[in-house]
Amino acid sequence: MKEYTKETFTVSTDRSKIDLNKVCDFLARSYWANKRKRETIMKSIEHSLCFSLFDGNEQIGFARVITDGATFAYLCDVFIDENDRGKKLGTWLLQCILEHPDVAGVRRFCLVTKDAHAFYKPFGFTSLQEPEKYMEKMNNE
């Protein structure tokens, strides 16, 4: 487990600190996970490297990374509570994620976003260099 602090804020990878109701409620309002079942969210958290952002004891952000810790990482389910946006907390959360020793050296770090390309670009994320090589298999949730 790792923790980062800044003023009254903490980013923690301790899964036991996650406010599951807050995370599930936010994901239920998101465009990417609004049909995801609570059981699926719980299982995804159990099998991911999770980053929770707190103001004091209140969870105000979250992200998770699926990784082998060596060659590949996938960033997903990133959110900052609507009331806490505009404070550069998303930037700090992403910096903490990218510095974490379990993912700092991975060869390929991917994510999927509908509208946050400008946010991720300064961190080195780009469009796929060879999209024709990528494939996916989608299952209904």
Side-chain angles (χ1 to χ4, degrees):
M1 289 178 292
K2 192 141 178 68
E3 286 198 350
Y4 308 84
T5 57
K6 176 181 173 180
E7 300 165 12
T8 62
F9 303 103
T10 304
V11 172
S12 176
T13 60
D14 185 348
R15 255 192 237 106
S16 71
K17 293 183 177 183
I18 296 172
D19 182 337
L20 294 171
N21 289 327
K22 180 92 173 199
V23 172
C24 289
D25 288 346
F26 185 88
L27 292 176
R29 296 189 316 270
S30 72
Y31 72 83
W32 68 88
N34 58 6
K35 293 183 175 129
R36 197 178 295 167
K37 295 176 185 172
R38 185 178 177 93
E39 300 80 35
T40 302
I41 294 170
M42 305 288 279
K43 187 173 183 179
S44 70
I45 288 171
E46 181 182 339
H47 295 283
S48 299
L49 175 59
C50 298
F51 294 81
S52 294
L53 172 61
F54 298 95
D55 185 357
N57 292 323
E58 181 185 1
Q59 182 145 13
I60 60 169
F62 179 80
R64 64 187 185 90
V65 177
I66 304 162
T67 186
D68 63 8
T71 63
F72 184 80
Y74 175 71
L75 176 65
C76 53
D77 293 342
V78 180
F79 77 83
I80 302 294
D81 188 90
E82 294 90 344
N83 297 324
D84 293 289
R85 293 181 185 163
K87 301 176 184 176
K88 302 286 184 191
L89 294 170
T91 299
W92 182 55
L93 176 60
L94 191 53
Q95 288 169 336
C96 294
I97 293 168
L98 295 174
E99 293 171 7
H100 191 279
D102 288 353
V103 296
V106 297
R107 181 172 181 268
R108 178 169 284 132
F109 211 134
C110 294
L111 62 88
V112 176
T113 183
K114 179 172 89 173
D115 56 7
H117 299 77
F119 173 76
Y120 291 104
K121 191 173 184 174
F123 294 95
F125 288 93
T126 63
S127 296
L128 295 174
Q129 293 179 18
E130 299 176 290
E132 67 279 2
K133 291 185 176 181
Y134 284 78
M135 297 178 70
E136 69 180 359
K137 178 182 178 299
M138 296 292 293
N139 293 317
N140 294 331
E141 285 192 277

